[in-house]
Amino acid sequence: MTLRSYNVPGPRPAGVALAEDADMLEVLQGFVHELRLAGLPVSMTENLDAMQAVAHVPISDRAAFRSALAATLVKHHRHQRAFDVLFDVYFSLHGALPADGSGAEAAAEGTGGPPGDGGGAAGELSDEELADLLLAALSSMDRDELRRLAGEAVTRYAGMEPGRPVGGTYYLYRTLRQLDIEGLTARLAALAEASAPTDERDDPLATRIRREEHEQRVRQLRELVEAEIRRRLVADRGVEAMARTLRRPLPEDADFMHASRQEMRELQRAIEPLTRALAARLAQRRRRRHRGQLDFRSTVRHSLSYGGVPAEPKFRHPRPSKPEIMVVADISGSVASFARFTLQFVHAMAGQFSKVRSWVFIDGIDEVTRFFDEADDLTEAVHRVNTDADVVWVDGHSDYGHAFEVFHERHAREVTPKTSLLVLGDARNNYHAPQAWVLEDLRRRGRHVYWLNPEQRGYWDTGDSVIADYAPHCDGVFECRNLRQLQQFVTAVIER
Amino acid sequence: MARFESVDDVVTRLRGADYLADTGIAGVVFLADRLEKPVLVEGPAGVGKTELAKATATVTGSRLIRLQCYEGLDESKALYEWNYKKQLLRIQSDREHEASWAEVEADIFSEPFLLTRPLLEAIRAEEPIVLLIDEVDRVEVETEALLLEVLSDFQVSIPELGTIKGHQRPRVFLTSNNTRELSEALKRRCLYLHIDYPDIEREREIVRVRVPEIDEDLAGQVASVVRSVRQLDLKKAPSISETIDWARTLLYLGRHEIDAEVLDETLHVLLKYQSDLARAHKELGADRGPGLTTGTTG
């Protein structure tokens, strides 16, 4: 069986379960291959498990089928989203859609039937009537009806043309705009308010809860529309093409400098468990690296089990020293999100260091440790770094040289042999003097100097990047474009 | 022992043990039953990971054997250990009888001197077993390797006794709070289940099942307020067990309606950090100060 041989043989009528097992296995292989392309580490064993699993769960029971595949193929929660998207692409044409037969019609329509026909009675509705029906379905939360109406709305508003190379987002946007989804939310709210008991109408808590409920329902409608569009696109273009357009880097591989807002949100969510995991592992490593002194009392106590022979020496728990970290970060536009991230990352791991202090600069430099000490949570602290730090000296263009000079003047004496200095930035100095002697001096005073550069290695020392001037005075210069590299760096440093 | 017929069967039977599983959870439990594989359950604290193992044990009529993991857990605490002290006594009491070393050795390395620990106990059991390895993320990587060996073969070799093989495969659940990344090797051998906070309908049902005295309306209110609280940016979002505690608290206080005042008095049951409490008070308008601004429009 070749891995890449799978192609959709034209639109397949939905509602018909896969006829043969061989067919199923082939689809599965294509799916696994695509997961690997998306970066998920699917091993041979897991692949075999998935094949066994599908034998026990019928594809017609979509939710169970999905969970069976997820349980065998996805072993990291942060990869779940990538899996879900691909699952929809690969299996949207396979297996029965719940409840009604309109799936088959809709799929057929998607491949080029004139808009408006099919969809049964809904075909004769006016736009207002469709909106009314949607409103009714939303307020009673009738999922089957909602799905049917979402399909109708896509047929009517998306204006999908077969073979046209536009992304699903375009059709989604068109459909949602035509549906006037905001107006729908407002009408839903008004409806609910009218039926609420009078004493609850002005109650902020009740209002808030009602609003969240509505948002949730409208979000579901949006998801249904999105799924419907995706399904039709798959029918039109084929599975592989769709999977390719939808391929996104996993959260840990997303580039700091070019992450979209959506990716940033996912990164934000991924960073917390990662730091926790990393901190725990580092603490453990450090504790276990060497044993402490002989614990005489304990050894004698345990020798009693061996008739007084000290056969099992006991040791005290070691108390290893923790490094002290100073972070100096460039927060000018191009690298701001990287700096924000790394600051958050380092401070989240503050427990692993005896002390963490941080400075941010553009052409002026300001210590921001206080924000992290005062704020309740890191997101708030990072926000204050962005708004309150005093980092502009002349014109608000990066000047590493000046920032370093000021840092040296004010804090050089605080750099001790226990201090590791971490510099974050792309070293794009706008042709100012690099003042590399500062790093040289700091390295002599401190323990280590590391530089993290969020730019791709290939762009270093091009244009106004002067990383080569600084590199000789650092113990290491690392490319740090995504969470994975950041994590590798921290592990490597602490294990020295 | 009663195997599961289908995914729906899992849902129905777990419900009988007061555990409400959604299709995702039930699907994995069913698959684990069919493929005879361990299930690795991850998720935030207090979403019912351990409960799932307990409920599965109840509905399949199995005995639950629990191995609580902690840092420093080793073979002698997880698998088996020779009872040194008893062996020593045995040797000393033997001095008068002049027994040969071979006899003594055969004697002191036999069943009565073996202390079985949870893993060995699960392997040797005759009756159906659910083995719960709780908080597996706390053990060191070396101990994880030991677990791997046991989980893949379900046999243990004790040099003095020979290989002990299980009569049956126990159902195994491993739970993890994700304080560290488990090894790929362990993950490969397990089915993976991530349990998240339940959606509003399921949470309402859970409250009704676990707090049967509550009326439907209040259960619904509890679930919606908890959802609302979880959407805030908190250090620690309320878990299901905290939701249930809160529902009980409301009952004891004789409240049938959640308003700002009640919320103000009882929010500390849901939230355990001062900063979280402050934020919730502010956002949900629970401190009833003048000039409330939350949600002025519908």
Side-chain angles (χ1 to χ4, degrees):
Chain A
M1 189 179 345
T2 54
L3 285 179
R4 288 230 66 177
S5 66
Y6 179 67
N7 272 309
V8 178
R12 187 196 296 266
V16 182
L18 284 174
E20 294 152 45
D21 285 353
D23 200 6
M24 181 69 232
L25 287 185
E26 219 172 308
V27 178
L28 202 56
Q29 283 324 299
F31 182 58
V32 167
H33 181 70
E34 197 53 57
L35 283 177
R36 286 182 178 145
L37 284 180
L40 272 75
V42 182
S43 72
M44 194 63 215
T45 341
E46 285 157 342
N47 193 353
L48 290 172
D49 283 346
M51 287 193 210
Q52 276 187 11
V54 295
H56 292 287
V57 183
I59 192 170
S60 53
D61 187 350
R62 259 176 96 74
F65 187 74
R66 178 194 288 256
S67 89
L69 282 187
T72 46
L73 296 172
V74 186
K75 305 288 169 86
H76 297 268
H77 183 55
R78 60 176 183 274
H79 296 164
Q80 185 67 41
R81 233 187 86 83
F83 171 87
D84 283 342
V85 169
L86 276 179
F87 181 88
D88 281 348
V89 168
Y90 264 78
F91 297 97
S92 60
L93 295 181
H94 301 297
L97 287 170
D100 59 359
S102 71
E105 289 167 47
E109 263 169 48
T111 63
D117 77 18
E124 286 107 52
L125 291 172
S126 68
D127 290 358
E128 289 77 35
E129 281 169 323
L130 178 63
D132 287 344
L133 278 177
L134 262 176
L135 194 61
L138 277 174
S139 57
S140 64
M141 211 46 221
D142 178 348
R143 273 194 75 89
D144 291 333
E145 174 74 359
L146 258 190
R147 185 175 291 112
R148 194 177 68 80
L149 293 171
E152 171 63 22
V154 172
T155 313
R156 192 178 287 214
Y157 300 131
M160 291 175 77
E161 293 167 31
R164 202 167 152 211
V166 288
T169 347
Y170 170 75
Y171 293 130
L172 179 66
Y173 172 71
R174 272 176 68 148
T175 314
L176 292 183
R177 196 189 49 194
Q178 292 277 337
L179 273 177
D180 185 18
I181 204 144
E182 256 119 56
L184 214 54
T185 322
R187 280 176 71 188
L188 194 61
L191 206 67
E193 187 159 5
S195 62
T198 30
D199 57 325
E200 275 184 22
R201 250 174 240 177
D202 298 323
D203 183 36
L205 182 63
T207 316
R208 183 188 172 94
I209 284 171
R210 273 205 306 273
R211 193 186 60 223
E212 279 169 357
E213 178 64 29
H214 297 149
E215 283 165 358
Q216 167 73 15
R217 289 180 185 186
V218 171
R219 198 155 48 234
Q220 285 189 17
L221 171 65
R222 196 190 145 98
E223 276 162 19
L224 285 173
V225 170
E226 208 168 351
E228 182 63 27
I229 289 174
R230 195 171 288 160
R231 205 165 60 80
R232 293 185 191 191
L233 282 177
V234 171
D236 177 29
R237 295 186 198 167
V239 170
E240 289 190 354
M242 256 323 262
R244 206 162 38 242
T245 29
L246 289 170
R247 205 177 294 153
R248 295 270 177 284
L250 297 174
E252 65 263 37
D253 290 323
D255 198 319
F256 289 133
M257 291 178 81
H258 311 112
S260 66
R261 272 178 59 194
Q262 166 78 18
E263 282 170 338
M264 267 298 172
R265 264 202 304 278
E266 280 172 26
L267 268 174
Q268 206 76 40
R269 270 199 297 269
I271 195 170
E272 202 256 312
L274 273 182
T275 46
R276 211 152 34 97
L278 198 57
R281 197 166 88 227
L282 295 175
Q284 218 174 56
R285 285 262 168 90
R286 246 207 327 265
R287 246 197 319 276
R288 300 185 61 78
R289 197 157 49 177
H290 34 238
R291 295 193 281 188
Q293 288 175 305
L294 182 74
D295 187 340
F296 190 70
R297 273 174 62 102
S298 180
T299 307
V300 171
R301 166 69 189 78
H302 279 85
S303 73
L304 297 180
S305 313
Y306 306 99
V309 182
E312 194 187 348
K314 292 283 173 185
F315 298 90
R316 282 179 213 283
H317 289 293
R319 303 196 172 279
S321 69
K322 294 174 171 181
E324 189 181 310
I325 297 270
M326 286 188 174
V327 186
V328 180
D330 177 5
I331 55 162
S332 62
S334 55
V335 291
S337 55
F338 163 69
R340 222 163 38 223
F341 238 92
T342 312
L343 279 177
Q344 196 172 343
F345 192 83
V346 172
H347 278 269
M349 293 180 51
Q352 295 309 304
F353 309 112
S354 65
K355 207 198 268 177
V356 177
R357 294 177 71 184
S358 35
W359 288 261
V360 294
F361 66 90
I362 292 179
D363 50 355
I365 187 164
D366 190 17
E367 174 158 8
V368 291
T369 317
R370 60 181 189 280
F371 297 145
F372 288 94
D373 291 344
E374 285 163 15
D376 287 331
D377 59 82
L378 292 173
T379 350
E380 195 183 316
V382 169
H383 178 70
R384 286 196 56 196
V385 168
N386 283 345
T387 52
D388 298 0
D390 178 19
V391 288
V392 177
W393 174 53
V394 186
D395 55 356
H397 288 106
S398 295
D399 182 348
Y400 283 67
H402 180 257
F404 285 165
E405 264 182 331
V406 175
F407 179 80
H408 188 266
E409 186 186 314
R410 292 187 196 156
H411 303 290
R413 254 166 297 135
E414 294 155 32
V415 178
T416 69
K418 286 179 87 179
T419 313
S420 291
L421 186 71
L422 201 60
V423 186
L424 314 177
D426 56 5
R428 295 206 169 271
N429 204 22
N430 294 302
Y431 307 103
H432 295 292
Q435 312 287 18
W437 62 269
V438 174
L439 283 190
E440 192 186 348
D441 183 60
L442 291 177
R443 188 185 182 196
R444 208 167 41 238
R445 291 167 187 266
R447 187 175 172 194
H448 297 295
V449 175
Y450 297 110
W451 192 299
L452 296 185
N453 191 335
E455 262 192 335
Q456 207 175 331
R457 206 172 270 273
Y459 293 125
W460 293 8
D461 295 313
T462 61
D464 57 347
S465 164
V466 288
I467 189 91
D469 288 353
Y470 294 121
H473 310 300
C474 298
D475 293 273
V477 181
F478 298 85
E479 181 190 75
C480 189
R481 292 163 59 206
N482 52 41
L483 211 49
R484 195 193 293 274
Q485 286 178 330
L486 184 57
Q487 199 185 355
Q488 280 165 357
F489 162 74
V490 178
T491 321
V493 164
I494 302 235
E495 277 173 10
R496 285 212 177 168
Chain B
M1 78 171 185
R3 295 189 60 159
F4 292 111
E5 303 289 324
S6 65
V7 177
D8 290 337
D9 184 41
V10 179
V11 174
T12 329
R13 281 164 64 183
L14 283 180
R15 178 178 265 271
D18 283 358
Y19 190 93
L20 297 186
D22 58 21
T23 335
I25 297 175
V28 176
V29 172
F30 173 70
L31 204 61
D33 189 53
R34 284 299 145 100
L35 301 183
E36 299 194 321
K37 283 189 143 266
V39 182
L40 170 63
V41 194
E42 278 189 346
V47 288
K49 300 189 289 289
T50 307
E51 279 306 307
L52 175 62
K54 289 184 183 165
T56 313
T58 313
V59 302
T60 52
S62 318
R63 183 155 69 93
L64 181 79
I65 297 180
R66 178 169 179 167
L67 172 63
Q68 174 65 48
C69 296
Y70 51 88
E71 209 185 318
L73 178 84
D74 58 10
E75 219 173 6
S76 63
K77 291 287 181 293
L79 207 50
Y80 71 91
E81 190 176 19
W82 290 107
N83 192 340
Y84 298 119
K85 284 149 199 151
K86 204 171 161 192
Q87 286 174 328
L88 213 62
L89 284 175
R90 176 76 185 77
I91 295 171
Q92 278 176 345
S93 75
D94 245 14
R95 289 225 173 110
E96 296 99 68
H97 302 119
E98 296 288 319
S100 75
W101 168 244
E103 273 174 88
V104 176
E105 191 191 14
D107 198 22
I108 61 172
F109 288 111
S110 62
E111 282 294 312
F113 296 92
L114 189 70
L115 294 172
T116 49
R117 303 296 189 199
L119 287 183
L120 183 59
E121 199 181 335
I123 289 172
R124 297 212 302 186
E126 304 279 340
E127 74 271 38
I129 293 291
V130 168
L131 173 62
L132 167 63
I133 303 179
D134 219 358
E135 307 195 21
V136 66
D137 49 333
R138 294 201 182 183
V139 302
E140 289 90 4
V141 184
E142 300 86 58
T143 319
E144 214 182 288
L146 168 81
L147 287 178
L148 269 180
E149 194 187 319
V150 175
L151 290 182
S152 47
D153 302 337
F154 278 102
Q155 59 176 37
V156 176
S157 10
I158 302 175
E160 297 85 355
L161 290 183
T163 302
I164 298 181
K165 215 172 157 43
H167 300 273
Q168 30 120 15
R169 283 204 163 228
R171 291 190 173 82
V172 184
F173 288 89
L174 300 98
T175 72
S176 158
N177 285 331
N178 222 343
T179 56
R180 73 177 171 88
E181 199 74 68
L182 297 170
S183 75
E184 292 297 322
L186 183 70
K187 287 192 164 182
R188 260 204 310 277
R189 279 173 181 76
C190 299
L191 299 177
Y192 181 81
L193 172 63
H194 187 275
I195 304 186
D196 220 328
Y197 296 118
D199 61 20
I200 193 164
E201 286 82 19
R202 195 170 146 242
E203 185 142 45
R204 186 179 61 217
E205 285 307 301
I206 292 173
V207 169
R208 289 188 61 197
V209 166
R210 300 301 292 269
V211 192
E213 313 86 43
I214 205 165
D215 65 75
E216 194 176 342
D217 185 43
L218 185 59
Q221 287 185 39
V222 166
S224 13
V225 174
V226 169
R227 176 173 74 177
S228 190
V229 172
R230 282 201 191 116
Q231 282 178 358
L232 303 176
D233 186 10
L234 300 173
K235 268 191 182 146
K236 165 79 182 69
S239 66
I240 298 183
S241 42
E242 281 158 342
T243 309
I244 293 169
D245 286 346
W246 189 46
R248 292 218 173 97
T249 310
L250 292 174
L251 270 187
Y252 288 138
L253 293 176
R255 303 293 192 157
H256 298 287
E257 193 80 19
I258 301 173
D259 52 29
E261 189 190 348
V262 179
L263 195 60
D264 195 23
E265 284 167 6
T266 56
L267 206 54
H268 57 88
V269 181
L270 282 178
L271 298 171
K272 302 295 156 67
Y273 286 96
Q274 198 51 46
S275 59
D276 285 356
L277 274 170
R279 170 158 292 178
H281 278 300
K282 197 172 108 203
E283 297 267 333
L284 299 180
D287 59 5
R288 287 170 298 135
L292 275 179
T293 51
T294 342
T296 45
T297 53

